[in-house]
């Protein structure tokens, strides 16, 4: 239906698991109901193709623009969250629900919910590093003018392994990815929306480097590119393995990326190149 790239379906051999994850690079429009319905359709398509873990992009139900965030914001566990929970349950998939604008105590957050295959909320993460940039001749954006930063990292346990979560600009802060890794994350999922200035320069580089730094799978899902909006997303949703090898990468258009996740690969890379074990904890440490 969406011209997706199908790499593999789930294989289980003894205790070593391979599973398929799907990144939905969806086109976001100025209509919440349409966005929700479209997300449901893409999640359903991914499930039919054998994906067991599905991820949506940053602000999947809302155009990425400060002016839209207050208009589209919902209360905690509002209609969009309930819709995603039911979609995860109906399709029997784990779901990293992109992100959405959420309001609590008169503060707006950029929030990502994670659901299990029964539709239960495993946890939620609020974007910790807000996107405030002023690039000469390029991107200018100030999320902090509207949004409030979160302060709690998130790692959830699933039948597929431990998943850590970040949102977009968080990828630029290696401390957060390392903290998630030290908390046991085997994969880091990042709904994101890099733009046409930062995307070509840093998107692939950042995804691969965070994967290599921490010897984890790193998956980043972007909205499809739409030049009609004031903020134009780069697209290029992608997955890197723990060695920095690209498992799959999309272009600018709407489609679904399917990628094989092999937990045994993490163990192999960490044994052959023991970066985490070689850290000088007698000299430096990450406090939390």
């Amino acid at each position: 239906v969406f011209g997706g790239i199908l790499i593999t379906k789930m294989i289980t051999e003894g205790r070593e698991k391979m599973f398929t994850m799907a990144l939905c690079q969806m086109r976001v429009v100025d209509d919440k109901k349409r966005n929700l319905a479209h997300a449901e359709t893409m999640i359903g398509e991914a499930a039919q193709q054998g994906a067991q873990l599905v991820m949506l992009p940053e602000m999947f139900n809302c155009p990425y623009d400060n002016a839209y965030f207050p208009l589209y914001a919902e209360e905690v566990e509002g209609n969009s969250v309930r819709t995603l929970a039911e979609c995860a349950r109906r399709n029997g998939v784990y779901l990293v629900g992109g992100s959405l604008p959420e309001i609590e105590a008169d503060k707006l957050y950029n929030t990502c919910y994670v659901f299990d295959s029964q539709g239960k909320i495993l946890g939620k993460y609020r974007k910790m590093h807000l996107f405030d940039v002023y690039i000469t001749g390029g991107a200018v954006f100030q999320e902090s003018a509207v949004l409030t930063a979160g302060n709690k990292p998130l790692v959830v346990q699933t039948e597929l392994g431990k998943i850590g979560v970040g949102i977009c600009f968080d990828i630029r802060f290696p401390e957060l990815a390392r903290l998630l890794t030290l908390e046991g994350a085997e994969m880091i999922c990042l709904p994101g929306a890099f733009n046409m200035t930062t995307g070509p320069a840093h998107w692939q580089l950042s995804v691969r480097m965070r994967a290599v730094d921490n010897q984890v799978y790193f998956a980043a899902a972007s909205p499809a590119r739409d030049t009609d909006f004031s903020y134009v997303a780069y697209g290029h949703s992608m997955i890197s393995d723990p060695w920095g090898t690209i498992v799959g990468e999309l272009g600018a258009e709407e489609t679904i990326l399917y990628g094989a996740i092999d937990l045994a690969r993490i163990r192999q890379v960490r044994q052959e190149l023991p970066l985490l074990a070689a850290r000088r904890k007698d000299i430096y440490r990450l406090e939390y």
Side-chain angles (χ1 to χ4, degrees):
V1 176
F2 297 102
I5 302 170
L6 181 60
I7 296 178
T8 187
K9 293 189 176 182
M10 180 182 178
I11 303 170
T12 303
E13 297 180 0
R15 297 181 62 185
E16 304 294 355
K17 279 188 177 180
M18 291 182 65
F19 65 89
T20 298
M21 79 170 301
L23 278 57
C24 298
Q25 185 164 289
M26 63 177 282
R27 184 174 182 268
V28 178
V29 298
D30 184 8
D31 186 319
K32 185 188 293 187
K33 289 183 179 180
R34 285 176 60 191
N35 290 330
L36 284 173
H38 195 39
E40 288 185 89
T41 300
M42 294 189 83
I43 294 166
E45 170 70 11
Q48 290 176 10
Q49 293 294 333
Q52 289 190 282
L53 172 62
V54 183
M55 179 162 57
L56 297 173
E58 183 179 22
M59 292 298 180
F60 81 95
N61 73 347
C62 172
Y64 188 85
D65 189 307
N66 277 349
Y68 286 99
F69 298 156
L71 300 177
Y72 279 65
E74 299 179 9
E75 299 290 337
V76 173
E77 298 184 23
N79 179 63
S80 293
V81 174
R82 293 192 296 271
T83 298
L84 293 183
E86 171 58 21
C87 192
R89 186 202 65 76
R90 185 170 63 250
N91 290 286
V93 297
Y94 284 91
L95 176 61
V96 179
S99 77
L100 49 83
E102 184 176 62
I103 188 167
E104 184 175 21
D106 296 323
K107 292 182 178 179
L108 278 173
Y109 298 92
N110 186 343
T111 304
C112 174
Y113 282 83
V114 183
F115 308 86
D116 71 10
S117 57
Q118 301 301 312
K120 177 184 176 182
I121 296 172
L122 295 177
K124 70 177 179 182
Y125 171 75
R126 287 172 167 168
K127 190 174 186 176
M128 194 174 295
H129 302 95
L130 298 183
F131 184 57
D132 289 2
V133 299
Y134 313 88
I135 300 172
T136 302
V140 176
F141 208 93
Q142 189 179 6
E143 277 190 333
S144 64
V146 175
L147 300 175
T148 298
N151 57 15
K152 293 182 179 179
L154 177 66
V155 176
V156 297
Q157 178 70 64
T158 78
E159 293 177 346
L160 306 176
K162 285 191 174 182
I163 299 172
V165 179
I167 298 176
C168 202
F169 200 51
D170 287 328
I171 198 174
R172 295 186 177 273
F173 300 87
E175 296 88 352
L176 178 58
R178 176 55 52 86
L179 179 60
L180 298 176
T181 301
L182 295 179
E183 289 294 316
E186 296 161 287
M187 164 179 284
I188 296 176
C189 289
L190 184 109
F194 270 40
N195 55 66
M196 295 304 297
T197 301
T198 60
H202 300 146
W203 175 255
Q204 187 188 104
L205 173 67
S206 298
V207 171
R208 294 181 65 204
M209 200 65 247
R210 293 292 83 81
V212 170
D213 283 346
N214 298 285
Q215 300 179 313
V216 296
Y217 279 91
F218 202 108
S222 169
R225 191 178 305 170
D226 189 337
T227 57
D228 290 337
F229 283 113
S230 60
Y231 185 95
V232 181
Y234 178 55
H236 286 263
S237 299
M238 65 176 296
I239 304 168
S240 173
D241 82 357
W243 188 255
T245 301
I246 297 174
V247 175
E249 180 178 5
L250 298 178
E253 302 302 317
E254 177 177 277
T255 189
I256 302 174
L257 173 67
Y258 297 89
I261 308 302
D262 181 2
L263 298 186
R265 179 66 172 151
I266 299 170
R267 190 173 302 107
Q268 177 189 5
V269 170
R270 290 183 180 182
Q271 288 175 345
E272 295 177 354
L273 186 67
L275 299 181
L276 298 174
R279 289 177 300 125
R280 288 295 303 275
K281 291 182 285 186
D282 57 322
I283 298 175
Y284 54 79
R285 63 182 180 273
L286 182 60
E287 296 182 358
Y288 169 62

PDB file of all heavy atoms in Angstrom, residues 255-276:
ATOM      1  N   THR A 255       6.417   6.553   3.108  1.00  0.00           N
ATOM      2  CA  THR A 255       6.484   5.102   2.943  1.00  0.00           C
ATOM      3  C   THR A 255       6.794   4.495   4.300  1.00  0.00           C
ATOM      4  O   THR A 255       6.873   5.200   5.305  1.00  0.00           O
ATOM      5  CB  THR A 255       7.541   4.697   1.890  1.00  0.00           C
ATOM      6  OG1 THR A 255       7.421   3.305   1.625  1.00  0.00           O
ATOM      7  CG2 THR A 255       8.949   5.009   2.357  1.00  0.00           C
ATOM      8  N   ILE A 256       6.964   3.194   4.345  1.00  0.00           N
ATOM      9  CA  ILE A 256       7.297   2.486   5.583  1.00  0.00           C
ATOM     10  C   ILE A 256       8.632   1.777   5.390  1.00  0.00           C
ATOM     11  O   ILE A 256       8.835   1.090   4.397  1.00  0.00           O
ATOM     12  CB  ILE A 256       6.211   1.457   5.957  1.00  0.00           C
ATOM     13  CG1 ILE A 256       4.846   2.135   6.121  1.00  0.00           C
ATOM     14  CG2 ILE A 256       6.592   0.732   7.258  1.00  0.00           C
ATOM     15  CD1 ILE A 256       3.696   1.161   6.357  1.00  0.00           C
ATOM     16  N   LEU A 257       9.516   1.947   6.349  1.00  0.00           N
ATOM     17  CA  LEU A 257      10.793   1.240   6.338  1.00  0.00           C
ATOM     18  C   LEU A 257      10.705   0.054   7.282  1.00  0.00           C
ATOM     19  O   LEU A 257      10.316   0.201   8.447  1.00  0.00           O
ATOM     20  CB  LEU A 257      11.920   2.170   6.797  1.00  0.00           C
ATOM     21  CG  LEU A 257      13.290   1.513   7.004  1.00  0.00           C
ATOM     22  CD1 LEU A 257      13.858   1.033   5.668  1.00  0.00           C
ATOM     23  CD2 LEU A 257      14.263   2.481   7.670  1.00  0.00           C
ATOM     24  N   TYR A 258      11.076  -1.121   6.792  1.00  0.00           N
ATOM     25  CA  TYR A 258      11.131  -2.320   7.611  1.00  0.00           C
ATOM     26  C   TYR A 258      12.592  -2.709   7.810  1.00  0.00           C
ATOM     27  O   TYR A 258      13.371  -2.711   6.856  1.00  0.00           O
ATOM     28  CB  TYR A 258      10.388  -3.477   6.934  1.00  0.00           C
ATOM     29  CG  TYR A 258       8.915  -3.221   6.735  1.00  0.00           C
ATOM     30  CD1 TYR A 258       8.451  -2.598   5.577  1.00  0.00           C
ATOM     31  CD2 TYR A 258       7.996  -3.599   7.702  1.00  0.00           C
ATOM     32  CE1 TYR A 258       7.098  -2.356   5.391  1.00  0.00           C
ATOM     33  CE2 TYR A 258       6.643  -3.367   7.519  1.00  0.00           C
ATOM     34  CZ  TYR A 258       6.192  -2.737   6.360  1.00  0.00           C
ATOM     35  OH  TYR A 258       4.864  -2.504   6.183  1.00  0.00           O
ATOM     36  N   GLY A 259      12.950  -3.042   9.044  1.00  0.00           N
ATOM     37  CA  GLY A 259      14.321  -3.410   9.326  1.00  0.00           C
ATOM     38  C   GLY A 259      14.422  -4.593  10.266  1.00  0.00           C
ATOM     39  O   GLY A 259      13.610  -4.747  11.185  1.00  0.00           O
ATOM     40  N   ALA A 260      15.422  -5.432  10.047  1.00  0.00           N
ATOM     41  CA  ALA A 260      15.658  -6.598  10.890  1.00  0.00           C
ATOM     42  C   ALA A 260      16.503  -6.200  12.094  1.00  0.00           C
ATOM     43  O   ALA A 260      17.576  -5.623  11.941  1.00  0.00           O
ATOM     44  CB  ALA A 260      16.365  -7.685  10.089  1.00  0.00           C
ATOM     45  N   ILE A 261      16.021  -6.521  13.273  1.00  0.00           N
ATOM     46  CA  ILE A 261      16.742  -6.263  14.513  1.00  0.00           C
ATOM     47  C   ILE A 261      17.198  -7.594  15.089  1.00  0.00           C
ATOM     48  O   ILE A 261      16.374  -8.470  15.376  1.00  0.00           O
ATOM     49  CB  ILE A 261      15.849  -5.522  15.536  1.00  0.00           C
ATOM     50  CG1 ILE A 261      15.213  -4.277  14.897  1.00  0.00           C
ATOM     51  CG2 ILE A 261      16.656  -5.165  16.777  1.00  0.00           C
ATOM     52  CD1 ILE A 261      16.200  -3.276  14.343  1.00  0.00           C
ATOM     53  N   ASP A 262      18.496  -7.748  15.265  1.00  0.00           N
ATOM     54  CA  ASP A 262      19.094  -9.004  15.725  1.00  0.00           C
ATOM     55  C   ASP A 262      19.808  -8.738  17.049  1.00  0.00           C
ATOM     56  O   ASP A 262      20.911  -8.171  17.071  1.00  0.00           O
ATOM     57  CB  ASP A 262      20.075  -9.511  14.668  1.00  0.00           C
ATOM     58  CG  ASP A 262      20.721 -10.831  15.047  1.00  0.00           C
ATOM     59  OD1 ASP A 262      20.394 -11.377  16.117  1.00  0.00           O
ATOM     60  OD2 ASP A 262      21.556 -11.299  14.254  1.00  0.00           O
ATOM     61  N   LEU A 263      19.210  -9.146  18.150  1.00  0.00           N
ATOM     62  CA  LEU A 263      19.791  -8.862  19.461  1.00  0.00           C
ATOM     63  C   LEU A 263      21.150  -9.536  19.640  1.00  0.00           C
ATOM     64  O   LEU A 263      21.997  -9.048  20.397  1.00  0.00           O
ATOM     65  CB  LEU A 263      18.827  -9.295  20.566  1.00  0.00           C
ATOM     66  CG  LEU A 263      17.467  -8.586  20.588  1.00  0.00           C
ATOM     67  CD1 LEU A 263      16.672  -9.001  21.821  1.00  0.00           C
ATOM     68  CD2 LEU A 263      17.635  -7.069  20.543  1.00  0.00           C
ATOM     69  N   ALA A 264      21.383 -10.643  18.955  1.00  0.00           N
ATOM     70  CA  ALA A 264      22.678 -11.319  19.047  1.00  0.00           C
ATOM     71  C   ALA A 264      23.790 -10.435  18.486  1.00  0.00           C
ATOM     72  O   ALA A 264      24.951 -10.546  18.898  1.00  0.00           O
ATOM     73  CB  ALA A 264      22.637 -12.646  18.303  1.00  0.00           C
ATOM     74  N   ARG A 265      23.458  -9.566  17.551  1.00  0.00           N
ATOM     75  CA  ARG A 265      24.451  -8.665  16.961  1.00  0.00           C
ATOM     76  C   ARG A 265      25.005  -7.711  18.012  1.00  0.00           C
ATOM     77  O   ARG A 265      26.200  -7.374  17.983  1.00  0.00           O
ATOM     78  CB  ARG A 265      23.803  -7.896  15.810  1.00  0.00           C
ATOM     79  CG  ARG A 265      24.708  -6.891  15.116  1.00  0.00           C
ATOM     80  CD  ARG A 265      25.848  -7.571  14.400  1.00  0.00           C
ATOM     81  NE  ARG A 265      26.593  -6.623  13.584  1.00  0.00           N
ATOM     82  CZ  ARG A 265      27.878  -6.751  13.294  1.00  0.00           C
ATOM     83  NH1 ARG A 265      28.557  -7.792  13.736  1.00  0.00           N
ATOM     84  NH2 ARG A 265      28.488  -5.862  12.528  1.00  0.00           N
ATOM     85  N   ILE A 266      24.165  -7.289  18.940  1.00  0.00           N
ATOM     86  CA  ILE A 266      24.622  -6.400  20.011  1.00  0.00           C
ATOM     87  C   ILE A 266      25.681  -7.100  20.849  1.00  0.00           C
ATOM     88  O   ILE A 266      26.753  -6.545  21.129  1.00  0.00           O
ATOM     89  CB  ILE A 266      23.434  -5.985  20.901  1.00  0.00           C
ATOM     90  CG1 ILE A 266      22.393  -5.233  20.079  1.00  0.00           C
ATOM     91  CG2 ILE A 266      23.912  -5.123  22.079  1.00  0.00           C
ATOM     92  CD1 ILE A 266      21.095  -4.992  20.820  1.00  0.00           C
ATOM     93  N   ARG A 267      25.389  -8.322  21.227  1.00  0.00           N
ATOM     94  CA  ARG A 267      26.320  -9.091  22.054  1.00  0.00           C
ATOM     95  C   ARG A 267      27.640  -9.323  21.317  1.00  0.00           C
ATOM     96  O   ARG A 267      28.725  -9.194  21.900  1.00  0.00           O
ATOM     97  CB  ARG A 267      25.669 -10.433  22.419  1.00  0.00           C
ATOM     98  CG  ARG A 267      26.416 -11.241  23.460  1.00  0.00           C
ATOM     99  CD  ARG A 267      25.613 -12.466  23.870  1.00  0.00           C
ATOM    100  NE  ARG A 267      24.310 -12.084  24.392  1.00  0.00           N
ATOM    101  CZ  ARG A 267      23.163 -12.257  23.729  1.00  0.00           C
ATOM    102  NH1 ARG A 267      23.163 -12.796  22.534  1.00  0.00           N
ATOM    103  NH2 ARG A 267      22.025 -11.894  24.279  1.00  0.00           N
ATOM    104  N   GLN A 268      27.550  -9.625  20.048  1.00  0.00           N
ATOM    105  CA  GLN A 268      28.758  -9.867  19.260  1.00  0.00           C
ATOM    106  C   GLN A 268      29.632  -8.616  19.191  1.00  0.00           C
ATOM    107  O   GLN A 268      30.854  -8.687  19.419  1.00  0.00           O
ATOM    108  CB  GLN A 268      28.370 -10.299  17.845  1.00  0.00           C
ATOM    109  CG  GLN A 268      29.566 -10.500  16.922  1.00  0.00           C
ATOM    110  CD  GLN A 268      29.148 -10.706  15.470  1.00  0.00           C
ATOM    111  OE1 GLN A 268      27.977 -10.618  15.127  1.00  0.00           O
ATOM    112  NE2 GLN A 268      30.122 -10.976  14.619  1.00  0.00           N
ATOM    113  N   VAL A 269      29.035  -7.484  18.864  1.00  0.00           N
ATOM    114  CA  VAL A 269      29.803  -6.241  18.737  1.00  0.00           C
ATOM    115  C   VAL A 269      30.439  -5.854  20.061  1.00  0.00           C
ATOM    116  O   VAL A 269      31.608  -5.432  20.115  1.00  0.00           O
ATOM    117  CB  VAL A 269      28.898  -5.112  18.200  1.00  0.00           C
ATOM    118  CG1 VAL A 269      29.601  -3.764  18.292  1.00  0.00           C
ATOM    119  CG2 VAL A 269      28.492  -5.394  16.764  1.00  0.00           C
ATOM    120  N   ARG A 270      29.718  -6.012  21.146  1.00  0.00           N
ATOM    121  CA  ARG A 270      30.257  -5.627  22.456  1.00  0.00           C
ATOM    122  C   ARG A 270      31.378  -6.557  22.898  1.00  0.00           C
ATOM    123  O   ARG A 270      32.266  -6.138  23.650  1.00  0.00           O
ATOM    124  CB  ARG A 270      29.129  -5.598  23.493  1.00  0.00           C
ATOM    125  CG  ARG A 270      28.159  -4.455  23.266  1.00  0.00           C
ATOM    126  CD  ARG A 270      27.081  -4.393  24.333  1.00  0.00           C
ATOM    127  NE  ARG A 270      26.175  -3.273  24.084  1.00  0.00           N
ATOM    128  CZ  ARG A 270      25.158  -2.942  24.870  1.00  0.00           C
ATOM    129  NH1 ARG A 270      24.898  -3.673  25.959  1.00  0.00           N
ATOM    130  NH2 ARG A 270      24.393  -1.907  24.583  1.00  0.00           N
ATOM    131  N   GLN A 271      31.348  -7.807  22.451  1.00  0.00           N
ATOM    132  CA  GLN A 271      32.441  -8.726  22.783  1.00  0.00           C
ATOM    133  C   GLN A 271      33.681  -8.432  21.953  1.00  0.00           C
ATOM    134  O   GLN A 271      34.807  -8.464  22.456  1.00  0.00           O
ATOM    135  CB  GLN A 271      31.985 -10.174  22.556  1.00  0.00           C
ATOM    136  CG  GLN A 271      30.984 -10.676  23.578  1.00  0.00           C
ATOM    137  CD  GLN A 271      30.460 -12.064  23.256  1.00  0.00           C
ATOM    138  OE1 GLN A 271      30.623 -12.568  22.142  1.00  0.00           O
ATOM    139  NE2 GLN A 271      29.802 -12.685  24.228  1.00  0.00           N
ATOM    140  N   GLU A 272      33.482  -8.137  20.671  1.00  0.00           N
ATOM    141  CA  GLU A 272      34.613  -7.921  19.778  1.00  0.00           C
ATOM    142  C   GLU A 272      35.262  -6.557  19.958  1.00  0.00           C
ATOM    143  O   GLU A 272      36.469  -6.397  19.740  1.00  0.00           O
ATOM    144  CB  GLU A 272      34.149  -8.099  18.328  1.00  0.00           C
ATOM    145  CG  GLU A 272      33.708  -9.527  18.018  1.00  0.00           C
ATOM    146  CD  GLU A 272      33.181  -9.676  16.605  1.00  0.00           C
ATOM    147  OE1 GLU A 272      33.046  -8.638  15.910  1.00  0.00           O
ATOM    148  OE2 GLU A 272      32.917 -10.820  16.176  1.00  0.00           O
ATOM    149  N   LEU A 273      34.467  -5.557  20.330  1.00  0.00           N
ATOM    150  CA  LEU A 273      34.958  -4.197  20.517  1.00  0.00           C
ATOM    151  C   LEU A 273      34.385  -3.682  21.834  1.00  0.00           C
ATOM    152  O   LEU A 273      33.386  -2.957  21.860  1.00  0.00           O
ATOM    153  CB  LEU A 273      34.505  -3.306  19.349  1.00  0.00           C
ATOM    154  CG  LEU A 273      35.034  -1.885  19.296  1.00  0.00           C
ATOM    155  CD1 LEU A 273      36.541  -1.879  19.040  1.00  0.00           C
ATOM    156  CD2 LEU A 273      34.310  -1.100  18.215  1.00  0.00           C
ATOM    157  N   PRO A 274      35.004  -4.049  22.962  1.00  0.00           N
ATOM    158  CA  PRO A 274      34.384  -3.829  24.275  1.00  0.00           C
ATOM    159  C   PRO A 274      34.476  -2.379  24.770  1.00  0.00           C
ATOM    160  O   PRO A 274      35.145  -2.079  25.770  1.00  0.00           O
ATOM    161  CB  PRO A 274      35.166  -4.787  25.179  1.00  0.00           C
ATOM    162  CG  PRO A 274      36.507  -4.889  24.540  1.00  0.00           C
ATOM    163  CD  PRO A 274      36.263  -4.816  23.056  1.00  0.00           C
ATOM    164  N   LEU A 275      33.807  -1.496  24.086  1.00  0.00           N
ATOM    165  CA  LEU A 275      33.851  -0.076  24.448  1.00  0.00           C
ATOM    166  C   LEU A 275      33.266   0.184  25.834  1.00  0.00           C
ATOM    167  O   LEU A 275      33.851   0.926  26.639  1.00  0.00           O
ATOM    168  CB  LEU A 275      33.082   0.745  23.409  1.00  0.00           C
ATOM    169  CG  LEU A 275      33.583   0.704  21.971  1.00  0.00           C
ATOM    170  CD1 LEU A 275      32.719   1.598  21.098  1.00  0.00           C
ATOM    171  CD2 LEU A 275      35.042   1.118  21.895  1.00  0.00           C
ATOM    172  N   LEU A 276      32.098  -0.368  26.087  1.00  0.00           N
ATOM    173  CA  LEU A 276      31.436  -0.089  27.364  1.00  0.00           C
ATOM    174  C   LEU A 276      32.252  -0.628  28.537  1.00  0.00           C
ATOM    175  O   LEU A 276      32.375   0.017  29.578  1.00  0.00           O
ATOM    176  CB  LEU A 276      30.032  -0.679  27.357  1.00  0.00           C
ATOM    177  CG  LEU A 276      29.087  -0.098  26.299  1.00  0.00           C
ATOM    178  CD1 LEU A 276      27.769  -0.857  26.291  1.00  0.00           C
ATOM    179  CD2 LEU A 276      28.850   1.382  26.551  1.00  0.00           C
TER     180      LEU A 276
END
